[in-house]
Amino acid sequence: MNVAFLGLSQRNRYVVLGIALSAITVGCGPEKPSIFVWHAYRGDEEKALEQATRRWEEKTGNHVDLLAIPHGAYAAKLEAAIPHGHGPDLFIDAHERLGSFVRDGLVAKVDDKEIQAFAAEGAARRSLTVAGKGYGFPLASKGLALIVNRQFVPNKPASFEALFHGTYPAGIKPLAYEIQSSYGQAPFVHAFGSHFIAADGTFGFVGEPAEKSLDLVAGWQKRGVVVPDADGALVSQLFAAERVAAVISGPWFLADFSAKFPIDVYPLPPLYVPADVPAAGAPASTSDGPLPRPFLTVEAAFLTPDGAARPEVHDLANFLATDPESLRLRATVGKQVVALAAGVDLPATTVAFGKVADQAELTPTSPAMRATWVPVEQALKKVLRGDATSHDAVLEAGRRFADATKPPLQGEPPPKKTPLFVVFGMLLLGAVFAAIKQAKQTDIRAELRRSKTAYAYVTHAAIIVALLVVAPLVAGAATSLYAGTRSDPTYVGFTNYIAILTARGGALLGHGSFYLTLLVTVLWTIINVFFHVSIGLLLGVVLSRESLRLKPLYRTLLILPWAIPSYVTALSWKGMFHKQYGAVNGILHFFGVAPVSWFSKFSTAFTANITTNVWLGFPFMMVVTMGALTSIPKDVLEAADVDGATPWQRFRYVTLPLLRPALLPSVALGAVWTFNMFNVVFLVSEGEPDGTTDILVSDAYRWAFTRDAQYGYAAAYAVVIFGILFLGSRALQWLGERFSGTSEASK
Amino acid sequence: MSPPKERVPLWVSIGSHTVLAAATLFAVYPVLWVISLAFSAGGDAPEPRVVPFPAHPTLENFKQFVGLDHAGGFALFLGQLGNSLIVSLATALVAVVIATPASYALARLPFFGKEGALRTLFATQMFPAVASAVPLYVLLEHLHLLDARSGLVLVYATTAIPFAIFQLKGAIETIPVDLEEAAMVDGATRFQAFVKVVLPAARPAIAVTALFAFMSAWNEFILAATLLSRKSAFTLPIVLQSYVGEHLANWGVFAAGALLVSAPVMILFYIVQRQLISGLTAGGVKG
Amino acid sequence: MAHPPAKDRCVARGVTKAYGNNPILRGIDLQIPEGSFAVLVGPSGCGKSTLLRAVAGLETVDGGTITLGDRDVTALPPRDRDVAMVFQSYALYPHLTVRDNLAFGLELRKTPKDIIAARVAEASTMLGLDPLLERLPKQLSGGQRQRVAMGRAVVRRAQLYLFDEPLSNLDAALRAEVRVEIRKLHERIGATTLYVTHDQVEAMTLADTLWVLHGGKVAQSGPPLDVYERPNSLFVAGFLGSPKINLLPGTLAFQGNRWSANERASEPGNYQFRVDEDRFAAGLQEGRSVTIGVRPQDVAVAHGDDPVFGQLTVDLVEALGSEGLAHGDLGGTPFVARLDAEEARTVKPKSRVPLTVKAHRVHLFDPSTEKAL
Ligand SMILES: Nc1ncnc2c1ncn2[C@@H]1O[C@H](COP(=O)(O)OP(=O)(O)OP(=O)(O)O)[C@@H](O)[C@H]1O
Ligand SMILES: [Mg+2]
């Protein structure tokens, strides 16, 4: 006899298990320590770094382990690894995160002497100084410049107005840049004397200068001299396809750009000069207009506390930053704008980018800087959409920033140290109470004796789930009683919760408030689950028909949305919803519908999110349905046919009730997951317009990552979300039980 | 023996194919854009297009992703593909091995604390991961499983196990109890009945659950990138994600990589779908 | 009796079982002699399956003991009891072929391969499963599945064979056929059997001993004909026999040296039954109220000098082919009488028909205790 278990005999099963287990553990031990260097470079920059490092290895005989980490995970990895001693010795990052690095103790101070040796002056030196102490070895700088197609712009444009008034072939726009990003807006903010963070550390994007900068670009968009709605990819595409005369971009633009036509790079020109033809109604100027000043980012090699203890790491950093060979490699191979160019023959474009430093504004290192991007960007988008005057938009940005950075609530901080005990004590107490309640109801000894068999099957899973799932959650939840950042938490009791539940003191249903977001989240969940389940069911049932042709083909194609990583396809959807070049509008156009600006209204942006998420989610329900259908005996369905049921009746009164027990857990889990499914919102609408399509959990992530790293607040958010889901599911269960009486009877 | 052919009215047949064709179009269309992007050389002018097709088809992006454009790149790619396979298969195996007995007990056996266990398990799924990532990291550190594939498997198992338990519990509940009882009367211990009767009958559900677990591990990159610190230990999604830089992304390679990464999943599904045949437990009991 | 008196193979003593607060078995005593065929009957939901499952070890009992052979098995798991069971639902292993289904129990017991092969071959030949051995259960017809289920029990040499309504899903013809097969099988392998059924014919034809379960207790047991002919309670009388036994109120009277049970004997439309004085000797009392039970099959139209017990006012005649049933009214109580085919054609509704019955076919019960006198 052949008792099959997934087609394997008993002995083979153990063999497979053994192989699998050893495969996981093989090659997992730590390697012999060398110098570990982490970076987020890719392409040419990575190549240049590799080559420079090889040179140093050859010179010194040390071994360097270079690790490229995806930018999306870089900060999280640094923050997680370094404090626990699992970080690199050296890592390369932009200087503007230095403030938080210093605060969290991720970087080591560098001797003044050492810095003197190579960076005596300038932006680089300043950029790497926090509270009078120097950190890191500057490698390259990045800032925005004007890149022109020489065929259309043969000479350096005297001003932006001059660029706009140039004569170009039909269908070619003068300028493209990431008009909707705060980074792209920064040069103009600075041009009018405004700032993101003022010198005294407060929010700088205020008042008339800020408004002027918004009005400026809104005016450009209205005049049609810039491409609206362009993201980075579109900017380079348009430029490469010779559809725009000039773009504003940084040195990275050249790395991926293989020119089929000659280009020039210039520092951003003034907005206008006296020679310009004045725009309609405006008086001709008598002097040069404001000079746009982009942010300047200095990339540096930072020593971690571990690395700082090893002299050879200092040497490597020094080599990368100052050695002519390294400079040459990084400038020519990596197309980097190296910080020190003495004695190195550099490409003209690189030299041009180097000049950007002269008129650039060093990105502030203050941790509060992180909290400025979103408010500025939202103000910008609002004005570009024409939803607000620049005055109102700037005021609102100020409010947002204040909201994101203010401590939860002021109050007496209770004594430290107690909270974890309190939390665990309360949990323990709850567990004991629950146990006693149970024990009272039944004879616990007999109950336990009866349970013995079952425990043999569940104990291992219970331990693993308790250790790996529950414990981290409880520990995570405990951080919700703290405020401040990870390295400097203060115990605040339930302050975070109070702040969340009182909508941070704002109107309860006010814009962006907790309750409004909750409403959006509930709507999001209901609509998604409805479509997931109904489409999944429909397809699952249709696909389970016996005599269907092409069934394997359909099945396989239909799970495509689920099989391809969602961070790729979500971006594909975002592209499809692009107003000008997106396929959705293309199809609508085919049916004579005017193009829709998808992300400028709540209703359409929400629709775009839902469409994407429905697309991503229905295959899962389809597969679950197909799996569940396998357990329905065919004769039951045949009985229904014999009883004269129409296909619909058969589905409604036979298939569905029989599927329900198998589907219910998946639907419930699906609902919970959808409630917390932030990455579609992040990738598709990005909360547009104006944060209205955000759901609760994306707020939690913002608090953790893009606002002032308030993990406690984010954790409190998570607990609140948990509470809502928990109560909601209990309520639904209660309702279900109340009404199941009728449905049971109908069986 | 092939299942008896049912006679279907024409309109049902046409209706089914219409529904399926529409759904397939919906499912495939955005993917076509990814494909088109993966095969395009870059430099195509952005046009408002409805039919996705690259203007200058090329295989460069694929070559670059699999590392054929530089020495040693392909070997590295194969290694990373191997990592992904091992980690994902191990996750599926661990999830199924751990979840199956537990879900059997939850579905069949009475025990003290069952309700509580189920509630807790469901409740863990409600907690956004944002709060537990750091404690999990600390935990792995104490277990000395950072930068180890086994650690990654463990982390992925945390998401896969609860789901697998729910999924399998539901499936086992649909298997007639009589089958196990018959086995026990025939001389099986409960465990034998579980292994020899319940497991084979639950095979489709186990296959589908394993597929779910596999996929959850296969596409994940944030945790993988956070936990793994050697290039040779990287999984493919990390490699894929590294084509999206801070300022500019290489979308062509990104798309090509995405297609390559999803190919094994498609193959696996093609294999698993044979399990999704209605009536696998048919004939066991009167009805 | 078909078998000589033998040692009891299976004994249940005082078995009780409750589901929550709902007692199902309230002290069952049951003995099955070695090699005999015991049939368990009782109304739906009375606990037959529960008792069977308790004997098999699938259900723990709250009280009492179960002995198989010489062993007290009350606390043993099913696999250590050495019983074979044919489930109400068949419970064939859907993933195994017929052959593997048959061999499953033997494999579990690590029986040598050649013995397994021999037993499977023997059972499959006996049950006519030879052409089906490589099929999966879903490729079988209902009757074939049933035979596989039986085969699975047969290959085992178990101490006790348990059948839970194995024929209930088969059509009438197949049922009759399999019924005979079961009995033949039983004779051939001499299996001690406990068999649950709802079907009277099955119960009567298969049983050596019939056990009637009622209210969680054994209401009556004995050879099937004894139980049928001498029901010890109103319940048993009513439960066995189709159409159901006629029940009439009456009073005992001693007249002309004879006991009779009657109702308003002097009025028209009355009835008067002769009483089997030997059988009911202990309970005969002048003027005692009784419930009279007469099976429709036992009455006949009176001819010549047959003693007439009453005149049936006929409402309706059902002709069933080989016989007929007259539904009517006897002394104000509904009454059914069997007619032979000829009479079924001649008796007309509204007519009055004189009826006769043999004295030993008249059952008397105490109306308050519902027990036989
Ligand atoms: N698991 C259970 N929990 C609670 N009550 C049960 C359970 N199983 C059976 N019962 C109840 O016990 C009683 C006896 O059930 P059992 O299955 O033994 O009846 P049965 O005599 O076999 O009936 P049938 O002839 O219809 O098969 C029924 O009233 C049933 O409702
Ligand atoms: Mg029963």
Side-chain angles (χ1 to χ4, degrees):
Chain A
M1 188 188 69
N2 178 19
V3 177
F5 162 45
L6 301 175
L8 296 173
S9 80
Q10 178 128 357
R11 182 172 308 148
N12 287 350
R13 230 178 302 149
Y14 292 123
V15 172
V16 168
L17 205 72
I19 292 175
L21 287 179
S22 55
I24 320 171
T25 37
V26 153
C28 294
E31 276 183 359
K32 217 178 125 47
S34 47
I35 297 178
F36 288 97
V37 178
W38 289 2
H39 62 93
Y41 286 148
R42 56 176 199 85
D44 292 337
E45 283 187 288
E46 183 178 7
K47 249 180 244 158
L49 181 66
E50 274 167 8
Q51 290 176 13
T53 315
R54 293 290 94 86
R55 288 292 143 78
W56 183 77
E57 283 180 324
E58 285 159 15
K59 240 166 75 175
T60 63
N62 282 312
H63 182 248
V64 178
D65 228 313
L66 280 176
L67 186 70
I69 292 159
H71 174 256
Y74 194 51
K77 188 170 171 77
L78 288 175
E79 281 179 29
I82 297 176
H84 294 100
H86 296 285
D89 299 302
L90 193 71
F91 66 91
I92 296 170
D93 204 350
H95 83 277
E96 64 229 37
R97 290 183 268 270
L98 181 60
S100 9
F101 291 159
V102 170
R103 188 190 57 197
D104 298 343
L106 306 187
V107 291
K109 198 154 67 66
V110 176
D111 241 331
D112 254 12
K113 264 205 323 282
E114 246 178 309
I115 294 184
Q116 294 289 349
F118 60 83
E121 39 63 48
R125 176 69 201 278
R126 270 182 293 125
S127 71
L128 299 175
T129 306
V130 171
K133 299 199 182 80
Y135 299 85
F137 297 71
L139 298 179
S141 66
K142 285 181 176 163
L144 294 175
L146 190 70
I147 304 165
V148 301
N149 182 333
R150 205 185 291 155
Q151 302 169 82
F152 304 128
V153 187
N155 304 308
K156 176 177 173 165
S159 69
F160 274 94
E161 284 307 321
L163 178 70
F164 298 151
H165 283 101
T167 45
Y168 307 110
I172 292 188
K173 290 240 182 210
L175 181 65
Y177 72 103
E178 290 183 59
I179 190 170
Q180 298 198 334
S181 81
S182 357
Y183 188 74
Q185 177 69 7
F188 311 111
V189 174
H190 298 140
F192 291 102
S194 184
H195 294 277
F196 279 51
I197 292 284
D200 57 359
T202 57
F203 191 51
F205 187 73
V206 290
E208 206 180 327
E211 293 168 21
K212 273 189 183 159
S213 76
L214 294 178
D215 288 335
L216 172 80
V217 295
W220 288 353
Q221 182 178 287
K222 207 184 246 151
R223 282 161 60 190
V225 292
V226 295
V227 177
D229 278 349
D231 59 6
L234 188 59
V235 169
S236 43
Q237 256 185 322
L238 288 169
F239 189 68
E242 305 179 43
R243 299 276 293 276
V244 290
V247 298
I248 300 175
S249 190
W252 57 83
F253 189 83
L254 302 177
D256 276 308
F257 181 74
S258 45
K260 285 172 281 183
F261 47 86
I263 60 167
D264 286 312
V265 176
Y266 306 114
L268 298 180
L271 294 178
Y272 50 86
V273 289
D276 286 337
V277 186
S285 60
T286 54
S287 62
D288 280 3
L291 185 67
R293 290 186 299 129
F295 270 135
L296 184 74
T297 300
V298 175
E299 278 173 355
F302 295 103
L303 302 176
T304 62
D306 287 348
R310 303 169 62 182
E312 69 270 25
V313 179
H314 291 255
D315 188 52
L316 170 62
N318 208 347
F319 176 88
L320 290 177
T322 60
D323 189 272
E325 185 62 14
S326 158
L327 291 173
R328 189 188 59 79
L329 281 170
R330 292 193 289 110
T332 52
V333 179
K335 305 201 175 84
Q336 284 186 333
V337 180
V338 293
L340 274 187
V344 181
D345 204 11
L346 292 176
T349 49
T350 307
V351 175
F353 266 115
K355 288 193 191 127
V356 170
D358 302 338
Q359 72 182 60
E361 181 99 352
L362 205 53
T363 317
T365 53
S366 144
M369 186 63 203
R370 263 211 234 182
T372 62
W373 298 111
V374 175
V376 172
E377 188 164 307
Q378 287 187 339
L380 175 65
K381 285 179 172 170
K382 226 169 172 171
V383 170
L384 288 176
R385 279 201 307 269
D387 279 356
T389 64
S390 56
H391 182 72
D392 293 342
V394 166
L395 285 180
E396 200 182 324
R399 281 198 300 275
R400 279 181 205 275
F401 176 83
D403 187 46
T405 48
K406 85 176 169 201
L409 279 185
Q410 279 77 19
E412 282 292 297
K416 278 188 166 191
K417 281 293 170 201
T418 43
L420 265 188
F421 289 105
V422 175
V423 173
F424 278 111
M426 266 159 57
L427 278 172
L428 211 67
L429 221 63
V432 169
F433 270 130
I436 288 177
K437 209 176 109 195
Q438 279 256 350
K440 268 189 180 158
Q441 284 170 354
T442 49
D443 180 358
I444 189 159
R445 297 245 304 274
E447 186 83 24
L448 281 177
R449 214 171 321 114
R450 225 160 45 88
S451 311
K452 241 173 44 197
T453 347
Y455 286 153
Y457 291 81
V458 292
T459 309
H460 64 294
I463 290 173
I464 288 184
V465 169
L467 186 71
L468 287 176
V469 185
V470 179
L473 284 180
V474 172
T479 58
S480 67
L481 303 177
Y482 291 82
T485 55
R486 197 184 297 162
S487 56
D488 177 31
T490 44
Y491 178 67
V492 293
F494 290 101
T495 317
N496 286 328
Y497 294 97
I498 297 167
I500 291 172
L501 294 176
T502 53
R504 300 177 71 79
L508 283 191
L509 279 176
H511 180 93
S513 84
F514 172 78
Y515 293 96
L516 197 65
T517 313
L518 174 61
L519 218 63
V520 173
T521 313
V522 170
L523 195 67
W524 158 259
T525 309
I526 291 175
I527 297 179
N528 269 310
V529 171
F530 172 78
F531 281 113
H532 286 163
V533 174
S534 49
I535 297 179
L537 263 179
L538 174 71
L539 295 176
V541 168
V542 172
L543 275 175
S544 65
R545 247 192 43 215
E546 294 249 337
S547 60
L548 190 75
R549 276 164 207 273
L550 302 177
K551 191 150 59 174
L553 179 73
Y554 281 131
R555 277 179 177 169
T556 311
L557 286 180
L558 282 171
I559 67 136
L560 267 173
W562 184 38
I564 301 179
S566 63
Y567 40 79
V568 178
T569 45
L571 290 171
S572 171
W573 272 101
K574 186 176 172 61
M576 284 170 50
F577 282 115
H578 190 273
K579 184 179 177 201
Q580 206 176 345
Y581 300 109
V584 176
N585 277 350
I587 293 170
L588 289 181
H589 176 76
F590 183 79
F591 291 107
V593 181
V596 178
S597 175
W598 287 93
F599 300 113
S600 62
K601 275 212 310 273
F602 170 79
S603 55
T604 50
F606 194 65
T607 308
N609 282 348
I610 297 254
T611 310
T612 308
N613 202 45
V614 165
W615 183 85
L616 283 170
F618 82 84
F620 171 77
M621 281 314 297
M622 182 184 85
V623 174
V624 169
T625 305
M626 291 194 288
L629 279 171
T630 60
S631 65
I632 296 188
K634 238 179 59 196
D635 41 4
V636 177
L637 296 178
E638 288 166 353
D641 282 342
V642 172
D643 286 345
T646 62
W648 165 249
Q649 287 171 324
R650 189 176 95 160
F651 173 75
R652 170 71 187 76
Y653 296 109
V654 184
T655 313
L656 203 55
L658 285 173
L659 277 182
R660 219 174 46 174
L663 283 187
L664 221 51
S666 303
V667 174
L669 278 177
V672 166
W673 290 340
T674 307
F675 198 92
N676 287 337
M677 168 65 81
F678 73 102
N679 54 4
V680 167
V681 178
F682 254 42
L683 291 174
V684 179
S685 81
E686 302 172 45
E688 287 291 286
D690 217 14
T692 50
T693 52
D694 267 338
I695 59 176
L696 280 182
V697 72
S698 41
D699 244 2
Y701 274 80
R702 292 237 159 84
W703 285 108
F705 298 117
T706 66
R707 291 172 192 165
D708 206 9
Q710 301 197 10
Y711 288 98
Y713 200 78
Y717 239 107
V719 175
V720 168
I721 290 173
F722 166 77
I724 291 168
L725 282 172
F726 190 75
L727 293 179
S729 69
R730 293 305 288 270
L732 281 181
Q733 197 183 4
W734 180 78
L735 282 177
E737 270 159 23
R738 284 205 61 187
F739 291 106
S740 67
T742 47
S743 64
E744 292 302 320
S746 71
K747 281 186 192 170
Chain B
M1 201 183 87
S2 67
K5 289 273 176 284
E6 44 180 325
R7 288 194 61 82
V8 259
L10 187 66
W11 70 267
V12 171
S13 189
I14 292 176
S16 308
H17 283 280
T18 314
V19 165
L20 288 171
T24 307
L25 187 68
F26 176 60
V28 167
Y29 187 67
V31 178
L32 291 180
W33 284 104
V34 178
I35 295 175
S36 154
L37 191 59
F39 283 101
S40 65
D44 293 357
E47 297 287 349
R49 281 184 303 160
V50 172
V51 181
F53 196 80
H56 311 286
T58 167
L59 284 176
E60 266 323 298
N61 294 325
F62 290 91
K63 282 192 186 148
Q64 196 178 337
F65 186 78
V66 303
L68 283 175
D69 61 338
H70 60 278
F74 188 59
L76 184 65
F77 168 80
L78 286 183
Q80 289 162 339
L81 174 68
N83 292 337
S84 272
L85 279 174
I86 288 171
V87 167
S88 306
L89 286 174
T91 302
L93 191 75
V94 166
V96 165
V97 164
I98 289 177
T100 312
S103 45
Y104 173 71
L106 288 167
R108 282 285 200 268
L109 305 173
F111 65 90
F112 180 69
K114 179 156 137 179
E115 279 300 302
L118 277 172
R119 286 232 179 89
T120 311
L121 199 63
F122 188 46
T124 60
Q125 298 301 296
M126 302 172 175
F127 223 99
V130 66
S132 66
V134 175
L136 199 59
Y137 186 91
V138 175
L139 186 76
L140 284 184
E141 188 194 4
H142 282 294
L143 296 173
H144 297 288
L145 290 176
L146 282 181
D147 200 16
R149 279 178 284 200
S150 42
L152 199 57
V153 170
L154 222 55
V155 172
Y156 290 159
T158 61
T159 48
I161 289 174
F163 174 70
I165 289 180
F166 280 116
Q167 189 69 24
L168 290 173
K169 174 178 171 283
I172 290 174
E173 275 165 356
T174 63
I175 300 172
V177 192
D178 286 3
L179 297 182
E180 281 156 82
E181 295 188 334
M184 287 197 279
V185 172
D186 269 348
T189 60
R190 188 170 269 286
F191 185 69
Q192 279 175 320
F194 165 64
V195 171
K196 300 196 168 181
V197 175
V198 177
L199 284 188
R203 207 172 57 186
I206 292 178
V208 173
T209 307
L211 180 74
F212 289 160
F214 181 92
M215 294 206 24
S216 70
W218 185 256
N219 285 341
E220 201 286 335
F221 89 94
I222 292 260
L223 286 168
T226 308
L227 294 176
L228 300 176
S229 299
R230 277 171 306 119
K231 209 170 192 167
S232 58
F234 275 4
T235 53
L236 283 186
I238 311 181
V239 182
L240 180 59
Q241 202 66 33
S242 67
Y243 286 95
V244 183
E246 179 176 9
H247 297 288
L248 213 54
N250 194 337
W251 296 115
V253 182
F254 190 56
L259 293 179
L260 287 179
V261 163
S262 35
V265 176
M266 303 295 291
I267 294 169
L268 220 78
F269 182 80
Y270 195 83
I271 297 167
V272 165
Q273 68 163 344
R274 250 176 296 167
Q275 301 286 335
L276 298 173
I277 293 164
S278 188
L280 203 94
T281 54
V285 296
K286 275 187 210 161
Chain C
M1 266 223 244
H3 289 267
K7 231 177 99 184
D8 286 336
R9 178 56 74 76
C10 169
V11 177
R13 214 169 272 125
V15 170
T16 59
K17 169 82 189 173
Y19 285 120
N21 294 326
N22 183 16
I24 305 297
L25 306 180
R26 304 161 177 255
I28 301 276
D29 291 305
L30 184 89
Q31 305 87 34
I32 310 172
E34 206 163 316
S36 90
F37 202 115
V39 171
L40 201 58
V41 295
S44 186
C46 74
K48 301 181 298 294
S49 297
T50 308
L51 178 58
L52 216 63
R53 293 164 54 79
V55 171
L58 293 171
E59 214 68 77
T60 55
V61 297
D62 299 338
T65 59
I66 296 167
T67 327
L68 286 175
D70 304 326
R71 298 181 306 151
D72 179 350
V73 299
T74 319
L76 291 185
R79 84 195 116 95
D80 296 331
R81 296 195 179 195
D82 195 20
V83 298
M85 181 156 170
V86 177
F87 281 71
Q88 195 162 358
S89 65
Y90 307 155
L92 302 184
Y93 309 119
H95 57 293
L96 300 183
T97 60
V98 170
R99 180 191 301 284
D100 290 341
N101 260 286
L102 294 179
F104 189 81
L106 297 175
E107 299 240 359
L108 282 174
R109 281 160 208 274
K110 308 245 181 309
T111 315
K113 286 252 182 301
D114 46 333
I115 298 189
I116 296 182
R119 293 260 193 91
V120 169
E122 183 195 1
S124 84
T125 313
M126 192 193 299
L127 291 163
L129 293 173
D130 285 336
L132 309 175
L133 279 177
E134 303 312 323
R135 293 210 195 159
L136 287 174
K138 66 176 169 199
Q139 299 162 332
L140 300 178
S141 77
Q144 290 165 335
R145 286 177 201 178
Q146 201 281 330
R147 278 184 278 157
V148 176
M150 286 217 318
R152 215 168 52 183
V154 165
V155 292
R156 303 258 318 276
R157 291 292 184 264
Q159 290 213 35
L160 180 66
Y161 291 80
L162 303 170
F163 291 81
D164 194 349
E165 302 186 36
L167 308 188
S168 57
N169 284 34
L170 305 186
D171 71 49
L174 196 56
R175 194 183 297 197
E177 191 182 310
V178 181
R179 194 175 67 219
V180 176
E181 265 179 55
I182 290 179
R183 184 70 214 193
K184 274 201 253 167
L185 204 70
H186 168 72
E187 311 265 294
R188 177 133 34 130
I189 62 178
T192 315
T193 306
L194 179 56
Y195 187 105
V196 171
T197 182
H198 270 291
D199 185 303
Q200 303 250 329
V201 184
E202 261 173 58
M204 301 304 288
T205 53
L206 288 174
D208 295 327
T209 321
L210 186 65
W211 297 79
V212 184
L213 228 56
H214 177 50
K217 291 208 155 115
V218 176
Q220 189 173 0
S221 68
L225 276 180
D226 285 10
V227 179
Y228 181 77
E229 286 172 1
R230 297 182 151 228
N232 69 359
S233 64
L234 266 178
F235 169 77
V236 176
F239 184 73
L240 294 178
S242 170
K244 248 179 105 146
I245 194 166
N246 296 299
L247 295 175
L248 304 156
T251 314
L252 288 179
F254 190 66
Q255 275 174 338
N257 234 356
R258 272 190 175 158
W259 283 96
S260 67
N262 60 30
E263 181 79 354
R264 300 181 302 279
S266 50
E267 295 167 29
N270 60 3
Y271 46 83
Q272 180 167 24
F273 293 95
R274 291 271 309 282
V275 167
D276 183 345
E277 289 166 16
D278 296 340
R279 182 174 164 201
F280 296 109
L284 297 180
Q285 267 171 325
E286 178 75 40
R288 179 176 181 176
S289 305
V290 291
T291 301
I292 307 160
V294 185
R295 296 196 187 279
Q297 292 84 349
D298 294 338
V299 294
V301 178
H303 296 292
D305 52 0
D306 288 343
V308 172
F309 67 79
Q311 301 278 337
L312 179 70
T313 313
V314 178
D315 291 334
L316 170 79
V317 176
E318 284 181 309
L320 303 174
S322 65
E323 58 175 20
L325 291 175
H327 297 260
D329 176 291
L330 185 69
T333 312
F335 194 93
V336 181
R338 196 197 70 91
L339 307 173
D340 61 33
E342 180 58 31
E343 289 159 353
R345 223 168 292 133
T346 53
V347 171
K348 292 279 173 276
K350 300 269 155 42
S351 63
R352 285 167 66 87
V353 180
L355 295 176
T356 183
V357 68
K358 298 243 161 57
H360 69 273
R361 298 291 192 190
V362 176
H363 312 287
L364 296 180
F365 304 94
D366 184 316
S368 52
T369 66
E370 305 200 338
K371 293 269 179 269
L373 285 192

